[in-house]
Amino acid sequence: MGKSSKDKRDLYYRKAKEQGYRARSAFKLLQLDDDFHFLQQAVRVVDLCAAPGSWSQVLSRRLFPQSSDNSDRKIVAVDLQPMSPIDNVITLQADITHPKTLQTITELFEGKKADFICSDGAPDVTGLHDLDEYVQQQLILSALQLSTCLLRKGGNFVAKIFRGRDIDMLYSQLGYLFEKVICAKPRSSRGTSLESFIVCLGYNPPANWEPKLDVNSSVEDFFQGCDIGKLRLEDKCPNYHEEPRSIATFIACGGLSSFDSDATYHVDTSTPALDPVQSPTNPPYKKALELKRRGKMTRAI
Ligand code: SAM
């Protein structure tokens, strides 16, 4: 977050700074939880792809209100990037696609299951649309694999998705694992973006299915034994018939009274620009800044 650049244009950006959140995306989780209340009973919670940490801040504020007994509650936040500390959150610099990450979280929870898992994961984009969409889907599947190993029966899962061509397939797969699957668009998520959030309530895996993460096995192998495997293309092709399309319920949340993320609001020009809540820990432009400071940014020709 910069000091003033977007303060006047994007109300959520401004509000995030006013309320001490590291990123405007905090409002997406707040608006989702206000509608679905998945944090109400949560004790053990995992925030996947968590940096810079605004979702973890929301989790911390909602799970650790000052007045109640919070002794059993635990929040684990995982990201490839380092994160500055957040009250009541254990931060883990790790790759969510690696089985070792599952092992570490299980140890932190002392073998107990999680009640809620969220993933706001986004890979670095290449600009090659098909490749970007594929990598994003793989990241969602990795978050889902991890969640099937960590969630208790009845637990909830929320993940960012982009409503691309093949999203129906994901809805169908999730429908085999959760009692209710809803596609939700919070008011703070720009209407012009394909971004939405899949809200999966009531984890209910098939009986006798024991998910096992292994670095050498594919996603298909992982879901063997679970009904998701039945959706493989080979199974459909020999005697092709159209499966009924699985369309998840679509809900706009946040309420009409909340700010519209695509609108430009008039902000009093005398309102002072606010400093960023948290400076980046290790920004990719750090080296360039250092070279510039030492006057070594130029190249000899
Ligand atoms: N929810 C965060 C917040 O509110 O501050 C913002 C998350 S940001 C949009 C997406 C994050 O996904 C990035 O920090 C990136 O490092 C992380 N990410 C992408 N691939 C990952 C992976 N394989 N394992 C862990 N984190 C990953």
Side-chain angles (χ1 to χ4, degrees):
M1 276 194 151
K3 174 139 174 144
S4 65
S5 56
K6 288 201 230 157
D7 266 29
K8 296 187 182 75
R9 280 183 283 133
D10 182 337
L11 248 271
Y12 284 105
Y13 187 87
R14 170 95 198 171
K15 291 273 162 225
K17 285 203 222 169
E18 283 174 5
Q19 294 179 24
Y21 288 116
R22 295 177 182 183
R24 70 189 291 293
S25 35
F27 293 100
K28 299 173 190 169
L29 188 61
L30 284 168
Q31 290 174 347
L32 288 167
D33 186 47
D34 285 345
D35 268 37
F36 296 102
H37 312 290
F38 37 67
L39 296 179
Q40 226 166 42
Q41 307 290 335
V43 176
R44 275 168 298 279
V45 165
V46 186
D47 182 7
L48 299 172
C49 304
S54 76
W55 279 27
S56 294
Q57 287 179 294
V58 171
L59 297 173
S60 171
R61 291 182 195 186
R62 294 229 157 159
L63 262 72
F64 289 85
Q66 274 155 1
S67 53
S68 69
D69 170 25
N70 320 308
S71 45
D72 285 343
R73 301 194 177 166
K74 210 171 241 181
I75 305 168
V76 177
V78 187
D79 202 286
L80 288 172
Q81 305 294 331
M83 281 170 68
S84 303
I86 299 172
D87 284 348
N88 309 310
V89 177
I90 302 168
T91 55
L92 210 64
Q93 188 174 0
D95 184 347
I96 68 155
T97 65
H98 200 284
K100 239 181 147 184
T101 306
L102 169 66
Q103 199 187 322
T104 314
I105 302 172
T106 310
E107 280 164 19
L108 287 168
F109 284 158
E110 295 159 6
K112 294 181 189 143
K113 294 280 184 183
D115 303 285
F116 175 72
I117 300 181
C118 56
S119 171
D120 190 24
D124 288 340
V125 286
T126 63
L128 300 170
H129 188 70
D130 285 348
L131 180 64
D132 289 341
E133 198 175 317
Y134 173 77
V135 177
Q136 172 68 21
Q137 293 248 359
Q138 289 307 305
L139 204 58
I140 296 169
L141 281 178
S142 295
L144 180 63
Q145 282 181 307
L146 214 63
S147 302
T148 56
C149 300
L150 283 169
L151 270 182
R152 68 165 168 82
K153 197 163 186 255
N156 303 317
F157 172 66
V158 168
K160 173 159 73 189
I161 54 162
F162 290 95
R163 279 165 296 136
R165 268 172 310 180
D166 301 323
I167 205 66
D168 288 357
M169 180 75 167
L170 181 69
Y171 294 154
S172 312
Q173 290 171 329
L174 291 168
Y176 281 100
L177 293 167
F178 292 88
E179 277 158 17
K180 210 166 179 188
V181 178
I182 300 139
C183 179
K185 177 88 173 168
R187 283 272 280 178
S188 48
S189 170
R190 293 191 179 90
T192 44
S193 147
L194 283 180
E195 173 189 88
S196 289
F197 294 84
I198 197 88
V199 179
C200 307
L201 305 174
Y203 180 52
N204 186 21
N208 308 323
W209 179 57
E210 272 201 37
K212 274 207 179 68
L213 262 188
D214 173 0
V215 79
N216 297 316
S217 63
S218 66
V219 174
E220 251 174 37
D221 291 341
F222 177 85
F223 286 111
Q224 281 292 333
C226 165
D227 283 343
I228 276 184
K230 285 185 190 154
L231 291 170
R232 285 182 313 166
L233 203 60
E234 312 82 279
D235 298 335
K236 277 201 216 157
C237 277
N239 223 339
Y240 182 78
H241 68 280
E242 195 75 39
E243 290 266 331
R245 277 186 77 198
S246 181
I247 300 177
T249 313
F250 188 88
I251 291 183
C253 50
L256 287 177
S257 55
S258 47
F259 297 109
D260 177 351
S261 49
D262 287 304
T264 302
Y265 289 88
H266 174 75
V267 176
D268 185 359
T269 42
S270 60
T271 318
L274 298 171
D275 282 328
V277 172
Q278 179 69 53
S279 307
T281 42
N282 191 17
Y285 50 82
K286 193 172 166 186
K287 196 172 165 197
L289 281 180
E290 263 168 34
L291 288 174
K292 196 174 170 196
R293 216 168 288 138
R294 285 191 269 134
K296 294 192 171 165
M297 197 63 171
T298 49
R299 255 192 311 168
I301 298 171

